[in-house]
Amino acid sequence: MPSPVETVIEALRGALGERVTTNPGLREHHSHGQDTQPPALPDAVAFVESTEEAAKVLGMCHAQGVPVVPWGAGTSLEGHVTPVRGGITLDLSRMTRIIEVSQPDMDCRVEAGVTRDQLNAHLRDQGLFFPVDPGTALCTIGGMCATRASGTNAVRYGTMRENALGLTVALADGRVIRTGGRVRKSSTGYDLTRLFVGSEGTLGVITEIQLRLHGIPEATSSATCQFDTLRGAVETVIGILQSGIPVARMELLDDVQTAACIAYSKLEGLKPLPSLFFEFHGTEASVAEQAQQAEDIAAEYGAHGFQWATDPADRHKLWQARHDALWAVLALKPGYKTFVTDSIVPISRMDEAILGTQADIRASGLTAPIVGHVGDGNYHTVILVPPEPGGLERAWELDKKIVARALDLGGSCSGEHGVGIGKREFLEREHGAEALAVMRSIKAALDPRGIMNPGKIFLN
Amino acid sequence: MPSPVETVIEALRGALGERVTTNPGLREHHSHGQDTQPPALPDAVAFVESTEEAAKVLGMCHAQGVPVVPWGAGTSLEGHVTPVRGGITLDLSRMTRIIEVSQPDMDCRVEAGVTRDQLNAHLRDQGLFFPVDPGTALCTIGGMCATRASGTNAVRYGTMRENALGLTVALADGRVIRTGGRVRKSSTGYDLTRLFVGSEGTLGVITEIQLRLHGIPEATSSATCQFDTLRGAVETVIGILQSGIPVARMELLDDVQTAACIAYSKLEGLKPLPSLFFEFHGTEASVAEQAQQAEDIAAEYGAHGFQWATDPADRHKLWQARHDALWAVLALKPGYKTFVTDSIVPISRMDEAILGTQADIRASGLTAPIVGHVGDGNYHTVILVPPEPGGLERAWELDKKIVARALDLGGSCSGEHGVGIGKREFLEREHGAEALAVMRSIKAALDPRGIMNPGKIFLN
């Protein structure tokens, strides 16, 4: 008698033909994301091309109790896409239709496999852009929704929480629902859109997304400044947020990260000191005013070397350097791999968090520069993992300390990468046992057989 | 043998003493909000003073299967606070502590019974304000969360969805959870904060709220302009949104509402034509620039009589007139009551929606000016209810047409007032049977005995 998963694979062959595969190379490709978790093979990979197909796969898996792991681009940093209990990986990367763009509504509807870069290339001619920018160009909108992703300009434009207006979701049992839609707000019932955003494939599979868009600003300028102390940088950030300057990006690099970027990206005029990188969006006049205001505030808190750039080439060089921060770190120690942490604390606790984290890093003996979306209180360390036995364990140990510190300061164990496998152990401490029990009861209500991305978010 | 509700009342007297009452006057006061639904008496009213007391009341009611209706200020327009199945009204209006304000984090934590005005009076000295403004000064933050309220400046500052960072919630069975918190974003598990915001007391009782605050802008200016056609006004709105002008308020008044406001508030320089009222926040320079940009865009679409005001007295007069729109309508027909509708459509469909609604109003023979938070696509009609038999039914009939039109245009039956009793019948059409079933399964998971504000959101 065939096993449940064999039964599903057989049925899938009937429904999808060659788009279901047990090819070892493809299974291996789908066995891990860009994380440090141990990989695990799916029994098969199903490439779906529509919501209906995704729903059909789910219905079959539900009937047989076979796990389903949704897959966008595999860029997860926390093990989200690893099929720890085997089953079917549902690959949505071929669902790349941009279904509709509405200029007057400043929104669009896309399939889950559309990438951020694909979307922005499509929008450029229409004077619109999709702001959420997690750094990688490859990530899919569906994956960004599932992990509640954000990035450098969330301080102004919000995260996927604010920018996903509605969803189509295939539920565990194969039903399909639509949530939200084109309206900007609504007070009619439970906010299912926000429930699925950040649910990491554990409640259903997001197949289409209605996204809020923004007008490409008339003018953009960038600026950098540097501080002798981290505290000066953090106080500048608080001052800027309170002043209401609608800063589009505000990134903190610690001295180690700044040094790495100077070396890797040949940045001129910067010293290896704590730095802030800014971007301002608006009209010509307002961008100039914003930069001036930011400079004045920064000066109050001891900034020096304030430079600002409106020339596109200069701006591009600066933000390319920021986006290449990971490569700059890798270049510090060739042959090492990286482990990226993702803590967030209240803005008022940023200096304690980062100074404490620097002390933890020093005590660990590891190299781990810090770079942060400081307007949100979110900071990453890029830990260089020594290529020797026990190296990865040392990185994990340091991450535990960094997370514990963030939680002590009223923060969260993940600002934007999600829980996946790697952050599950911290959830009860962060949310409390009762809130976690509420999450579990919602999970049980929507996925009674527990087939949706098992082993993620929740321990056991 | 005492009935379940008698058992609960007896137990409540032990726990709350005189703060539980069966006084007829107080029960009557808690039998309805500011709506047109038939009132219904609670069996008793319990005035709680802490989360623990609220949880205790819930635990007792859960054990006996007795309904609980949360009460803030009773300003609901859709019957949310009417105890249609009797039981205990849980009055949170004495929970008025402002627990903490953090200037560097630009947030605060308040008890659910704090009113919007109380909070803003408390914040004024600190250079901060809480922007969400549903028009009434009396509403509580807890009630605003429960209905996902918004108002005139949601176009810039968002609704309660964006401004509630975290909650304390007493669950149906008396457990207490905390959701979210001080961090600006997080990717750790299901978004319980957004699940409870807008749940209208059907999943639990919100007892504390962490709120995002904003810096009081350095400068504020107001402006008005008028159009011969509604289409010109709507096209202006679209142009302004696309240009990225960070308009703080943008309100549309149709010709009837403008005429009523001119008469009631003695507004000078306005004609009885479709009008836009604006407010801009920023620096002196940026406010001037925003007003100029808005004027230029409005002129393209046929605006005339663009006037702008930075003088506080002039600004106050204008916005007071906007906030008095309801009174201006009431003054049109003394002795009439009002019924306020609350539809929302995509911005691109605003002109169809409003022109169609005007036609519906004319066909109904009723007087019903239109005023809208047009930057969100949200518009209200204030129907004057004839004080004669069948008058209310005529108003309801007109509301049904207005809602049906909004739904036809891809809209929602409530932009900000909530579902309560009045909008339940439209929910299946708006969300689909499957999405509604998902909402019901969440309700069943969190409130298995169905004690939480029964008869709201869901039919039956």
Side-chain angles (χ1 to χ4, degrees):
Chain A
M1 204 174 118
S3 70
V5 72
E6 286 165 348
T7 303
V8 165
I9 292 171
E10 189 57 32
L12 286 175
R13 287 198 204 285
L16 301 176
E18 300 213 334
R19 289 188 283 111
V20 60
T21 178
T22 55
N23 171 297
L26 283 169
R27 287 168 65 209
E28 196 286 323
H29 177 66
H30 288 82
S31 68
H32 61 86
Q34 293 177 6
D35 50 74
T36 60
Q37 297 296 328
L41 293 173
D43 290 291
V45 181
F47 294 87
V48 292
E49 295 181 348
S50 67
T51 298
E52 293 64 37
E53 284 188 356
K56 192 176 284 184
V57 174
L58 286 163
M60 291 172 182
C61 290
H62 180 76
Q64 297 293 329
V66 167
V68 179
V69 179
W71 175 282
T75 56
S76 160
L77 294 169
E78 292 292 357
H80 293 96
V81 294
T82 303
V84 289
R85 295 184 202 162
I88 308 299
T89 286
L90 189 74
D91 187 314
L92 297 127
S93 65
R94 297 187 187 177
M95 289 184 62
T96 56
R97 277 198 313 142
I98 294 170
I99 299 164
E100 186 191 10
V101 177
S102 170
Q103 269 200 308
D105 293 304
M106 294 207 287
D107 71 4
C108 65
R109 193 167 187 90
V110 301
E111 288 184 337
V114 168
T115 64
R116 196 177 64 80
D117 270 20
Q118 182 196 344
L119 178 59
N120 275 324
H122 182 88
L123 294 172
R124 201 159 294 138
D125 294 343
Q126 307 186 48
L128 295 168
F129 78 112
F130 170 65
V132 184
D133 171 17
T136 169
L138 297 174
C139 55
T140 63
I141 304 294
M144 290 171 68
C145 275
T147 52
R148 205 182 289 127
S150 45
T152 54
N153 49 27
V155 62
R156 168 141 175 187
Y157 297 100
T159 72
M160 291 307 288
R161 182 176 75 192
E162 288 78 25
N163 287 285
L165 298 169
L167 306 171
T168 300
V169 181
L171 298 175
D173 59 7
R175 284 178 297 162
V176 173
I177 62 170
R178 276 179 79 129
T179 73
R182 175 153 280 165
V183 286
R184 297 264 175 136
K185 64 181 191 184
S186 167
S187 286
T188 59
Y190 306 155
D191 189 345
L192 297 182
T193 304
R194 254 50 62 180
L195 180 64
F196 285 99
V197 168
S199 65
E200 304 188 4
T202 64
L203 297 178
V205 178
I206 297 168
T207 59
E208 285 181 19
I209 306 99
Q210 188 100 17
L211 286 174
R212 188 168 184 172
L213 303 174
H214 297 264
I216 295 175
E218 177 189 318
T220 300
S221 79
S222 297
T224 55
C225 62
Q226 300 204 284
F227 298 84
D228 294 324
T229 65
L230 202 65
R231 178 171 290 275
V234 172
E235 284 174 342
T236 297
V237 168
I238 292 172
I240 285 173
L241 291 172
Q242 281 204 301
S243 74
I245 301 173
V247 58
R249 288 178 159 138
M250 182 156 55
E251 297 284 303
L252 174 73
L253 290 73
D254 78 348
D255 49 349
V256 185
Q257 182 68 62
T258 304
C261 287
I262 292 170
Y264 185 82
S265 299
K266 320 252 175 303
L267 292 179
E268 283 150 31
L270 289 182
K271 294 175 189 164
L273 289 172
S275 309
L276 289 176
F277 287 12
F278 299 98
E279 189 166 277
F280 306 103
H281 293 173
T283 60
E284 296 286 352
S286 86
V287 155
E289 187 184 37
Q290 289 175 49
Q292 187 58 55
Q293 282 185 296
E295 179 169 358
D296 293 347
I297 292 167
E300 274 180 56
Y301 298 108
H304 41 80
F306 199 97
Q307 312 178 42
W308 65 290
T310 52
D311 179 70
D314 293 346
R315 282 198 288 112
H316 179 76
K317 185 173 179 187
L318 182 70
W319 288 103
Q320 192 61 47
R322 166 62 190 89
H323 278 121
D324 287 343
L326 182 72
W327 304 110
V329 176
L330 278 167
L332 292 175
K333 299 211 176 188
Y336 281 51
K337 292 191 171 170
T338 56
F339 176 91
V340 185
T341 73
D342 176 36
S343 297
I344 180 166
V345 294
I347 308 286
S348 60
R349 315 304 290 272
M350 276 294 287
D351 59 341
E352 285 167 87
I354 294 185
L355 288 170
T357 298
Q358 286 183 323
D360 291 336
I361 293 166
R362 273 194 296 273
S364 76
L366 296 167
T367 300
I370 300 176
V371 59
H373 310 314
V374 72
D376 304 316
N378 186 198
Y379 54 100
H380 306 296
T381 61
V382 184
I383 305 175
L384 283 163
V385 181
E388 61 217 17
L392 185 57
E393 287 69 22
R394 285 174 64 199
W396 284 348
E397 208 50 49
L398 175 56
D399 182 42
K400 271 194 219 295
K401 282 197 186 158
I402 291 171
V403 168
R405 182 177 297 282
L407 295 178
D408 284 345
L409 295 170
S412 168
C413 68
S414 175
E416 56 187 14
H417 295 170
V419 179
I421 297 169
K423 294 292 182 280
R424 291 177 303 168
E425 63 184 292
F426 307 112
L427 240 58
E428 182 167 329
R429 182 166 165 214
E430 180 172 331
H431 294 293
E434 295 295 7
L436 210 54
V438 168
M439 293 186 202
R440 280 184 191 272
S441 69
I442 293 168
K443 163 81 174 169
L446 298 194
D447 178 24
R449 300 200 67 174
I451 65 164
M452 294 307 314
N453 208 1
K456 313 300 159 59
I457 298 185
F458 306 106
L459 286 168
N460 309 317
Chain B
M1 204 173 116
S3 70
V5 73
E6 286 165 348
T7 303
V8 165
I9 293 171
E10 189 56 32
L12 285 175
R13 288 199 203 285
L16 301 176
E18 302 212 333
R19 288 188 283 110
V20 59
T21 177
T22 54
N23 171 296
L26 283 169
R27 286 169 65 210
E28 196 286 323
H29 177 67
H30 289 81
S31 68
H32 61 87
Q34 294 177 4
D35 50 74
T36 59
Q37 298 296 327
L41 293 173
D43 290 291
V45 181
F47 294 88
V48 293
E49 295 181 349
S50 68
T51 298
E52 293 63 37
E53 283 188 355
K56 194 177 282 184
V57 174
L58 286 163
M60 290 172 182
C61 289
H62 179 76
Q64 297 293 330
V66 168
V68 178
V69 179
W71 175 282
T75 56
S76 160
L77 294 169
E78 293 291 356
H80 293 96
V81 294
T82 304
V84 288
R85 296 184 201 162
I88 308 300
T89 287
L90 190 73
D91 187 314
L92 296 127
S93 64
R94 298 186 187 178
M95 289 183 62
T96 56
R97 277 198 313 144
I98 294 170
I99 299 164
E100 186 191 10
V101 177
S102 170
Q103 270 201 306
D105 293 303
M106 294 206 287
D107 71 5
C108 65
R109 193 167 187 91
V110 301
E111 288 184 337
V114 168
T115 65
R116 196 178 63 81
D117 271 20
Q118 180 195 346
L119 178 59
N120 275 324
H122 182 89
L123 294 172
R124 201 158 295 138
D125 293 344
Q126 306 187 50
L128 295 168
F129 78 112
F130 170 65
V132 185
D133 171 18
T136 169
L138 298 174
C139 55
T140 63
I141 304 295
M144 290 171 68
C145 275
T147 52
R148 206 182 289 126
S150 45
T152 54
N153 48 26
V155 62
R156 170 141 175 187
Y157 297 100
T159 72
M160 291 307 288
R161 181 176 75 191
E162 287 78 25
N163 287 284
L165 297 169
L167 306 171
T168 300
V169 181
L171 299 175
D173 59 7
R175 285 178 296 162
V176 173
I177 62 169
R178 276 179 79 127
T179 75
R182 173 152 282 164
V183 286
R184 297 263 174 137
K185 65 181 191 184
S186 166
S187 287
T188 59
Y190 306 155
D191 189 344
L192 298 182
T193 304
R194 253 51 61 181
L195 180 63
F196 285 99
V197 169
S199 65
E200 305 188 4
T202 65
L203 296 178
V205 178
I206 297 168
T207 59
E208 286 182 18
I209 306 100
Q210 188 100 18
L211 285 173
R212 188 168 184 171
L213 302 174
H214 297 265
I216 294 175
E218 178 190 317
T220 300
S221 79
S222 297
T224 55
C225 62
Q226 299 203 287
F227 298 84
D228 295 323
T229 66
L230 201 66
R231 178 171 290 275
V234 172
E235 284 174 344
T236 298
V237 167
I238 293 173
I240 286 173
L241 291 172
Q242 280 204 302
S243 74
I245 302 173
V247 58
R249 288 178 160 138
M250 183 156 54
E251 297 284 303
L252 174 73
L253 291 72
D254 78 348
D255 49 350
V256 185
Q257 182 68 62
T258 304
C261 287
I262 292 170
Y264 184 83
S265 298
K266 320 251 175 303
L267 291 178
E268 284 150 33
L270 289 182
K271 295 174 188 163
L273 289 172
S275 309
L276 289 176
F277 288 12
F278 299 99
E279 188 166 277
F280 306 104
H281 293 173
T283 59
E284 297 285 353
S286 87
V287 155
E289 187 184 37
Q290 290 175 50
Q292 186 59 56
Q293 282 184 295
E295 179 170 357
D296 293 346
I297 291 168
E300 274 181 57
Y301 297 108
H304 42 80
F306 199 97
Q307 312 177 42
W308 64 290
T310 52
D311 179 69
D314 293 346
R315 283 198 288 113
H316 179 75
K317 184 172 180 188
L318 182 71
W319 287 102
Q320 191 61 48
R322 167 62 190 88
H323 278 120
D324 288 344
L326 183 71
W327 304 110
V329 176
L330 278 168
L332 292 176
K333 300 211 177 189
Y336 281 51
K337 293 191 170 170
T338 57
F339 176 91
V340 185
T341 73
D342 176 37
S343 296
I344 181 165
V345 294
I347 307 286
S348 60
R349 314 304 291 273
M350 275 294 287
D351 58 341
E352 285 167 88
I354 293 184
L355 288 169
T357 297
Q358 286 183 324
D360 291 336
I361 294 165
R362 273 194 296 272
S364 75
L366 297 168
T367 300
I370 300 176
V371 58
H373 309 315
V374 72
D376 303 317
N378 186 198
Y379 53 101
H380 305 296
T381 61
V382 183
I383 305 175
L384 282 164
V385 181
E388 61 219 17
L392 185 57
E393 287 69 21
R394 285 174 65 199
W396 284 348
E397 208 51 49
L398 176 55
D399 183 42
K400 271 193 219 295
K401 281 197 188 157
I402 293 171
V403 168
R405 183 177 298 282
L407 295 178
D408 285 344
L409 295 170
S412 169
C413 68
S414 175
E416 55 187 14
H417 295 169
V419 179
I421 297 169
K423 294 292 182 278
R424 291 177 304 167
E425 63 184 292
F426 307 113
L427 240 59
E428 183 167 330
R429 181 164 165 215
E430 180 171 331
H431 294 292
E434 295 296 7
L436 210 55
V438 169
M439 292 186 203
R440 280 185 191 273
S441 69
I442 293 168
K443 163 81 174 169
L446 298 193
D447 178 24
R449 300 200 66 174
I451 65 165
M452 293 307 314
N453 208 1
K456 314 301 159 57
I457 298 184
F458 306 105
L459 286 168
N460 310 315

